[in-house]
Amino acid sequence: MPQDPRLAESLIDPTRITHPPKRNHGYLDVLGPESDEPVSLANRFMQSPLLAAIYERAWRPMFTRGFSYGGKSTLKAHTALMDEIAGRGDRKILDVACGPGLYTRELAAQLGTDGVCIGLDLSGPMLRRAVRDNSADRVDYIRGSAHALPFADAAFDTVACLAALYLIPDPEQAVRELCRVAGPDGQIVIFTSLRTAAASLPGVTRAMRVGGFRAFGRDEVTGWLHAQGWTEIDQTLTGQGQFIRARRAAALRLAT
């Protein structure tokens, strides 16, 4: 269990939630029993306890390997990225759409005494698995919406969304929220899908649309970041996937 069960409570902005926060199965729930979130086939699948049980060891690695088809190793690039963005010292990290918390715990491994890494997800089964398998010192979990993050502006040093943005019903709104809660000297890190010739085939496109999956154009996600003032952007393409790291323009950081 987390060293301090109030880690998540201390970061919640009460003006941005509509239900009193409540601890359920070791995670903080700010959504209540019902959610107005748009629900796709993929979203319903993510609510499955069976998927939560196999997701960390089988499902997410399968997708990560799939993204590397036709390009350099996604797994190698992912390992390098995680090492670069892992929290060190007293930093605050948010892992959006964290699933069962594999990356959340990894991001928090080197945090200092006052550091914290919060994993946020919409799925109760995923979060129960996260609490069970990936609890650690400086880690806590919240059931919340990527469309309306329950935190104040500039609350985190690093905001990550890894292998999940393509499942979020309104990904542009989610990116706006990532930008909002990232501090002026912070960074945003995204690993997501890339629309390629293979993903654009009619049958594949229809299957993805029905299932609630999305492949993003090369300039689509980076364009949303640019629109929010995040102009220092590194993008690495890996076959069917893309890694994106962004910071605000230096002038905006100084002005904030």
Side-chain angles (χ1 to χ4, degrees):
M1 296 296 293
Q3 183 181 38
D4 183 350
R6 298 168 296 175
L7 290 174
E9 284 88 338
S10 68
L11 289 166
I12 292 295
D13 180 352
T15 69
R16 293 185 177 274
I17 59 177
T18 57
H19 293 81
K22 181 179 179 181
R23 280 277 164 185
N24 285 324
H25 308 286
Y27 62 85
L28 188 68
D29 193 334
V30 301
L31 294 180
E34 299 292 335
S35 172
D36 295 329
E37 289 286 296
V39 176
S40 66
L41 178 61
N43 291 145
R44 288 194 293 271
F45 194 31
M46 289 298 169
Q47 300 290 331
S48 164
L50 175 60
L51 179 61
I54 67 170
Y55 188 78
E56 180 177 315
R57 294 177 178 84
W59 186 264
R60 183 171 277 190
M62 179 185 72
F63 269 88
T64 303
R65 284 193 296 270
F67 282 149
S68 68
Y69 177 77
K72 68 179 185 179
S73 171
T74 298
L75 291 174
K76 182 178 180 180
H78 172 79
T79 299
L81 177 71
M82 293 298 291
D83 182 64
E84 290 176 16
I85 67 174
R88 294 173 175 84
D90 299 331
R91 300 186 64 77
K92 291 181 173 61
I93 303 172
L94 175 63
D95 182 12
V96 175
C98 67
L102 175 64
Y103 299 153
T104 314
R105 182 170 182 170
E106 190 175 346
L107 288 168
Q110 300 182 66
L111 286 172
T113 303
D114 293 327
V116 60
C117 187
I118 302 295
L120 178 142
D121 205 274
L122 187 65
S123 169
M126 286 290 183
L127 291 171
R128 288 195 289 274
R129 180 64 58 165
V131 170
R132 172 182 165 178
D133 293 348
N134 288 304
S135 289
D137 288 350
R138 319 317 308 158
V139 170
D140 205 355
Y141 294 101
I142 294 180
R143 180 172 175 260
S145 169
H147 295 143
L149 296 173
F151 310 106
D153 296 354
F156 294 92
D157 300 299
T158 295
V159 181
C161 184
L162 305 172
L165 188 66
Y166 50 82
L167 294 172
I168 296 174
D170 187 346
E172 184 175 4
Q173 171 60 20
V175 169
R176 284 194 291 266
E177 282 291 279
L178 301 183
C179 294
R180 181 182 65 78
V181 302
D185 292 319
Q187 64 176 338
I188 293 172
V189 183
I190 297 170
F191 169 47
T192 193
S193 57
L194 177 69
R195 186 167 62 245
T196 64
S200 300
L201 294 172
V204 175
T205 300
R206 184 175 183 279
M208 292 177 65
R209 184 170 60 250
V210 171
F213 296 89
R214 178 166 175 167
F216 297 101
R218 178 170 181 167
D219 300 321
E220 193 169 4
V221 178
T222 56
W224 296 338
L225 291 166
H226 277 293
Q228 297 298 313
W230 295 71
T231 58
E232 297 181 14
I233 299 174
D234 292 326
Q235 181 185 40
T236 301
L237 307 181
T238 58
Q240 312 301 311
Q242 55 182 315
F243 293 92
I244 299 169
R245 294 180 68 184
R247 298 185 71 201
R248 297 185 196 273
L252 291 176
R253 295 203 300 271
L254 293 172
T256 302

